[in-house]
Amino acid sequence: MKTLLVAGARPNFMKLAPIADALVCYGQEYKIVHTGQHYDDNMSKVFFDDLNIREPDYNLEVGSETHARQTAKIIHKFADVCEREEPDVVIVIGDVNSTLACAVVASKLEGVKLAHVEAGERSFDKTMPEEINRIVTDVLSDYLFCATDKAMNNLINEGCHKNKIYLVGNVAMDSLIYNATKLPLRDGEPYILCTIHRQSNTDDKKNLKNILKALITISEKIKIIFPMHPRTVARIKSFGLTKYLDQIDVIQPLNYLKFIYRMKNASVVLTDSGGIQVETTVLGVPCITLRENTEWGFTLIEGTNRLVGVAIDKIINETFDVLAKPPKSSLSRANRILLDGMASKRIVKILVDENIK
Ligand code: UD1
């Protein structure tokens, strides 16, 4: 089975690593295609270094563009790779533009099976570009590998054939569990870790200002560390909001190991990321999600995550409330199984057992 393993943006890389390892474990030939959607060293290369991922066999170097142009560029360049490599399987991960673009190419090629890792997650908010990417990729895929039973039900409700759906667990947790045990314990003063990069928060001046104003009040009580995404840096500058950052420890995006160390030892994490909601749940760290919806509903049920939105008072009150009364988390049995660090091996075993050639 000849596999092309696709990744393009930061949230893909920690998921690619365990899948690549599992392919090696099962003696499978694979090539890594990096689309170049994320290209700064601290958004890309540091993850390959930290996670011991080998150099990509292809880098499509598409860079930053509008959604349509970025997607079109990837489609064009990935089609050339497929023509040259003639893969049996293309594995795409998550919900970024690279996922959608490569899924479109693979699904139209005869004899190529498309596998989507992290299938079926839904925020039910089509204003999010990621939601469009998820829906289209799932419709096109031959193998839908789900991280949660909710995701599986979403696909069934959308009319997807049950034979294509596999509940395998969460591949990001394969990386987290493997790496988190190697990290030292906290020293130093307590802090809040903050990450913001969602288009709905960064590209809307009012929302971005609300978040920064709330952070100012919170920073009077507890230190805030903010590894800032390039998109967020750019928007804060262009909206003239830099003055709101005076009391906040703004740093460059962190590499994977440094980030999970910071996350594991934070008093609270404030974020609009999807993956971080799950990672904090597994680590038992309180999380405040600065969004109106989430595709990771089980994190709310497990009790570590709160969906708070972006109203200033709400962010402040919920943060202080969580600091005063940190939630107790013990993962339910069902989720312990799905977050057990074996998802990638399950995925590769299923593909190998299918005898795709
Ligand atoms: C993308 C994903 C999002 C994911 C996020 C994690 C889509 C639709 N969204 O959003 O799901 O959670 O990555 O980071 O694919 N930029 C740089 N250097 C880089 C990468 C980006 O400067 O290495 C800047 C560019 O100005 C670019 C902007 O960030 O225009 C946005 O990058 P893009 O890949 O379009 O989307 P993200 O906001 O990163």
Side-chain angles (χ1 to χ4, degrees):
M1 178 176 84
K2 187 169 174 187
T3 302
L4 291 183
L5 193 46
V6 173
R10 185 170 62 177
N12 291 156
F13 306 134
M14 68 293 282
K15 300 168 193 168
L16 178 142
I19 300 171
D21 287 348
L23 285 163
V24 171
C25 255
Y26 280 90
Q28 296 300 312
E29 189 192 338
Y30 71 95
K31 293 215 163 139
I32 296 177
V33 182
H34 189 327
T35 64
Q37 177 177 346
H38 283 177
Y39 46 85
D40 284 355
D41 277 358
N42 59 16
M43 299 290 287
S44 172
K45 184 179 179 305
V46 292
F47 288 80
F48 281 71
D49 294 344
D50 261 9
L51 294 159
N52 278 324
I53 308 170
R54 70 167 204 232
E55 280 279 306
D57 299 274
Y58 293 91
N59 191 327
L60 309 184
E61 294 181 346
V62 296
S64 298
E65 279 285 5
T66 60
H67 284 274
R69 287 209 188 90
Q70 188 178 58
T71 306
K73 265 186 168 180
I74 301 169
I75 289 178
H76 188 168
K77 294 189 166 191
F78 186 62
D80 291 344
V81 175
C82 287
E83 202 171 296
R84 185 158 163 196
E85 292 292 336
E86 300 185 341
D88 302 305
V89 181
V90 171
I91 300 180
V92 295
I93 308 168
D95 59 13
V96 299
N97 289 339
S98 304
T99 313
L100 165 74
C102 295
V104 169
V105 174
S107 65
K108 289 193 175 187
L109 292 173
E110 214 185 309
V112 179
K113 297 289 182 194
L114 174 65
H116 184 204
V117 174
E118 222 175 66
E121 300 301 338
R122 297 286 182 270
S123 63
F124 300 102
D125 175 2
K126 283 196 190 149
T127 65
M128 290 178 74
E130 293 83 0
E131 184 76 349
I132 312 275
N133 295 344
R134 292 180 196 116
I135 293 170
V136 178
T137 304
D138 285 339
V139 167
L140 299 177
S141 293
D142 301 294
Y143 294 89
L144 294 151
F145 294 118
C146 298
T148 60
D149 47 8
K150 181 87 183 5
M152 223 171 64
N153 291 334
N154 289 340
L155 292 171
I156 290 166
N157 290 340
E158 288 172 16
C160 180
H161 201 289
K162 276 186 184 170
N163 290 353
K164 294 184 182 179
I165 307 173
Y166 301 85
L167 185 58
V168 292
N170 191 316
V171 291
M173 297 311 117
D174 299 1
S175 273
L176 183 73
I177 289 164
Y178 179 72
N179 289 293
T181 49
K182 297 191 252 168
L183 301 175
L185 286 172
R186 168 170 51 193
D187 53 4
E189 61 177 318
Y191 61 86
I192 285 180
L193 182 66
C194 179
T195 78
I196 302 294
H197 69 265
R198 278 289 153 215
Q199 199 170 298
S200 57
N201 285 336
T202 58
D203 295 14
D204 180 315
K205 185 174 178 184
K206 185 166 173 281
N207 287 353
L208 190 54
K209 200 166 166 183
N210 274 0
I211 293 170
L212 296 179
K213 279 187 165 174
L215 293 183
I216 289 179
T217 305
I218 296 166
S219 70
E220 282 158 11
K221 292 261 161 57
I222 179 166
K223 175 177 162 149
I224 297 179
I225 300 176
F226 194 159
M228 206 177 274
H229 190 288
R231 169 198 281 281
T232 316
V233 174
R235 295 302 180 273
I236 287 177
K237 271 197 197 132
S238 65
F239 289 144
L241 300 174
T242 317
K243 62 177 181 215
Y244 292 104
L245 296 175
D246 286 352
Q247 299 177 70
I248 295 164
D249 189 0
V250 176
I251 56 175
Q252 293 280 324
L254 294 169
N255 66 24
Y256 183 71
L257 292 177
K258 281 196 182 135
F259 188 80
I260 58 174
Y261 169 73
R262 281 294 180 199
M263 186 163 51
K264 191 176 165 201
N265 291 306
S267 302
V268 180
V269 177
L270 298 187
T271 191
D272 58 9
S273 151
I276 291 171
Q277 295 173 54
V278 184
E279 288 167 341
T280 48
T281 299
V282 170
L283 294 172
V285 175
C287 180
I288 301 265
T289 298
L290 306 180
R291 280 172 51 186
E292 305 296 340
N293 53 48
T294 178
E295 50 289 333
W296 300 104
F298 81 91
T299 61
L300 305 174
I301 297 164
E302 294 289 348
T304 41
N305 188 19
R306 291 190 193 187
L307 204 51
V308 161
V310 290
I312 303 177
D313 288 351
K314 187 106 165 90
I315 299 174
I316 296 168
N317 294 341
E318 294 281 347
T319 304
F320 287 151
D321 190 54
V322 168
L323 283 169
K325 293 176 276 169
K328 290 208 173 34
S329 128
S330 57
L331 277 178
S332 64
R333 189 170 173 278
N335 283 327
R336 273 205 305 278
I337 294 168
L338 290 173
L339 302 168
D340 65 354
M342 300 297 286
S344 306
K345 293 218 168 78
R346 291 191 194 103
I347 288 170
V348 175
K349 181 168 188 325
I350 290 164
L351 292 174
V352 169
D353 287 350
E354 289 280 303
N355 266 324
I356 307 165
K357 276 250 161 75

